[in-house]
Amino acid sequence: MKLTEKMNYSLRGYFSRAKRTMAVNCLQFGDTGKGKFVDMFADWADIIVRCTGGDNAGHTVIVNGKEKIFHLIPSGIVHDVNGKINVIASGAVIYPKTLIDEINLLQSEGIPCSNLKISLAAKVIMPYHILLDRLSEAKAGSGKIGTTGKGIGPCYADFVARRGISINDLLNPIIFRSKLMKNLEYVSRLLKVYQPEDIDVIMAHEHLEFGQYSDYQGDFNIEALTKKYLVYGEILRPYVTNTDEFLQDEVGRSNILLEGAQGYLLSVDYGTYPFVTSSDCSVQGLMKGAGLEMEDVEMPFGIIKGFYMTRVGAGPFPTEMGGEESERWCGQAGAGAEEKKLYAGSDINDPNEFIQGIAIRRIGHEYGATTGRPRRTGWLDLPLLRHALRSEANQIIMTKLDVLTGVKKIKICHSYEYQGEDYVYGNKIIKKGDVLSTAIVDPYFLYNCKPIYEEFNGWDEDIREIRRFDLLPENLKNILKYIFLEVEAADLRIISVGPGPEETIFVGEYELFGDEDE
Ligand code: IMP
């Protein structure tokens, strides 16, 4: 059955009328199960676009019945056979090796990738970006961001500092060499503060192609680096084009799906800076990354998880189950594998929230697709959601609701009590004991906020078989009503009750508060 045939009246109208541009973006810290919806909407789309970020993202795609993790290629590529076009747009940063590995893997599975377009203006992640990312994290101590180590920050930093190397530069050996030489001079100065042995160890890493670019004295093998990247350019050449112009011309002519990466609260512009990624992963950022304008996108969908949240890496997370203990635990190398052994029998109703958080993480499979790290787990935070909804997608998709089945008490954070020293916020002063309903995303502020919760009874019924909103357990519907009354500026449109595409409920326009729209 086609996707639109399963939808309710209002959504079907949207999807079946004229050609449109749609964005699907996460409103939290990423990992909200976007892949399922990108995959579903890819059925509707003619063009699927990855707009920002790089191989720090990871999504699982089913290729010929086998699960594969992709980092760069839009998940719509498996629909390539139907003639859909997949674009990696100008706002993205590309580590050529990852992209070429993904293309090779797809081709070996009989997916030709002939409809893949790569922006000539996308920025190239160079080995020194990865090296600098990893060195600075290794030496950062308590200031660690917990990056994915994929060189994302240094690559975007070079671009903003006007040193960036674009994909098109890889097709022009003279230009490439001259930019590279200048950049390497600069990088050598930066590397002087590190020990050559520390550099060599990182350069020998698998992701840096086992030391191919290293001279094993703490410096680069420039010849090897230049040669390899020019070869990469040649391999990518058939896909490289001006995707900005292509997409601008297709608005109104084709159905375009803009696929978000990471999430609003990790946006360098709107997130919990500096504990963010280095791209603007808001809908505005997606538009810009694709070379489009905000008015081009008609119905931005924002994704949140059902009643819990996760965060990977360091940074404030007021509702985290187990608080600091959880942040510390999840930040340790190898914690993912360790907790699967140590906490195999953890209970989702354990009175110790640290353990309860682990149990929820295990049921929700909340381990990084890119790094395998355990995702810190906490309750749904409405002050952060209100912050996101001020400028972001307000057509809500709520995912993973089945994960909390069986949890006796579900807590929703509706506001914060500030507990720090006087905090000057522009022309306001926030004092100890003040209550705020919308988050200020400064980490100092968030680390000093105590969440105030409303507590609800959970449900025990298996909801994965339910396909109609009115058949959901009353307790679950009460929580949904509470949330959408609290946040006001958002409409609940779709609920996901399991990972499969059929485990989806389309919510009528007035259904949440009583009136059916059909
Ligand atoms: P970077 O993007 O590797 O520089 O990492 C910066 C921050 O963003 C870290 O806290 C990462 O854990 C987080 N991050 C980056 N990509 C993702 C993602 O796809 N999902 C969730 N968190 C991410």
Side-chain angles (χ1 to χ4, degrees), residues 295-493:
E295 64 196 37
D296 293 332
V297 67
E298 289 188 58
M299 198 183 211
F301 283 97
I303 310 196
I304 59 178
K305 278 202 259 241
F307 313 151
Y308 75 102
M309 287 168 62
T310 57
R311 168 164 210 162
V312 202
F317 186 2
T319 60
E320 182 166 11
M321 295 174 182
E324 273 175 39
E325 186 183 4
S326 165
E327 180 171 6
R328 239 190 343 267
W329 171 259
C330 295
Q332 297 174 100
E338 190 70 1
E339 75 177 26
K340 284 178 189 161
K341 283 185 265 154
L342 273 180
Y343 297 102
S346 52
D347 180 358
I348 46 167
N349 287 303
D350 198 297
N352 176 343
E353 277 208 348
F354 171 67
I355 309 281
Q356 186 182 25
I358 293 177
I360 293 175
R361 171 152 78 237
R362 287 177 52 78
I363 293 175
H365 306 291
E366 300 291 1
Y367 297 88
T370 300
T371 57
R373 293 182 287 180
R375 298 176 183 148
R376 299 157 62 195
T377 303
W379 299 108
L380 177 59
D381 181 322
L382 298 186
L384 280 173
L385 182 58
R386 288 191 191 95
H387 162 73
L389 287 168
R390 291 189 80 89
S391 67
E392 192 60 3
N394 62 355
Q395 304 294 305
I396 304 295
I397 300 175
M398 194 178 263
T399 56
K400 300 193 101 166
L401 266 166
D402 53 307
V403 173
L404 293 195
T405 296
V407 176
K408 300 269 176 263
K409 292 283 175 205
I410 289 175
K411 287 161 57 175
I412 306 286
C413 164
H414 56 80
S415 40
Y416 300 144
E417 184 186 310
Y418 179 67
Q419 300 198 312
E421 298 298 318
D422 281 6
Y423 178 76
V424 180
Y425 187 56
N427 57 4
K428 288 188 211 151
I429 298 182
I430 298 168
K431 294 188 167 294
K432 198 174 190 152
D434 282 357
V435 171
L436 279 95
S437 58
T438 303
I440 294 167
V441 286
D442 177 349
Y444 172 82
F445 174 83
L446 286 177
Y447 270 120
N448 283 289
C449 279
K450 182 174 145 224
I452 310 176
Y453 292 106
E454 189 73 33
E455 213 170 274
F456 296 86
N457 289 328
W459 63 93
D460 287 322
E461 302 91 317
D462 180 3
I463 58 170
R464 288 185 62 172
E465 296 295 319
I466 298 178
R467 299 289 174 267
R468 270 176 41 194
F469 182 82
D470 58 327
L471 300 179
L472 284 169
E474 283 309 312
N475 285 352
L476 192 160
K477 283 192 284 189
N478 284 342
I479 306 176
L480 287 172
K481 277 184 202 160
Y482 173 80
I483 293 168
F484 283 86
L485 277 175
E486 279 282 321
V487 298
E488 288 176 354
D491 296 321
L492 178 64
R493 306 309 300 256

Side-chain angles (χ1 to χ4, degrees), residues 209-229:
E209 305 195 61
F210 304 104
Q212 273 196 40
Y213 308 120
S214 176
D215 74 348
Y216 282 97
Q217 291 177 53
D219 217 334
F220 284 89
N221 180 337
I222 299 174
E223 256 330 287
L225 180 55
T226 316
K227 235 165 126 182
K228 193 72 183 265
Y229 268 66

Side-chain angles (χ1 to χ4, degrees), residues 151-222:
I152 307 296
C155 180
Y156 278 114
D158 269 3
F159 171 63
V160 176
R162 297 163 291 197
R163 282 190 296 268
I165 292 181
S166 71
I167 287 286
N168 203 54
D169 292 334
L170 299 184
L171 310 183
N172 291 281
I174 295 172
I175 299 175
F176 174 69
R177 264 178 225 276
S178 109
K179 288 191 181 178
L180 178 65
M181 293 317 288
K182 268 195 211 142
N183 284 356
L184 285 174
E185 254 176 62
Y186 170 75
V187 171
S188 296
R189 286 199 296 276
L190 296 183
L191 291 180
K192 290 219 163 78
V193 297
Y194 297 104
Q195 299 300 324
E197 309 83 76
D198 293 344
I199 295 172
D200 291 345
V201 167
I202 296 177
M203 292 302 288
H205 194 275
E206 180 185 356
H207 198 61
L208 280 161
E209 305 195 61
F210 304 104
Q212 273 196 40
Y213 308 120
S214 176
D215 74 348
Y216 282 97
Q217 291 177 53
D219 217 334
F220 284 89
N221 180 337
I222 299 174

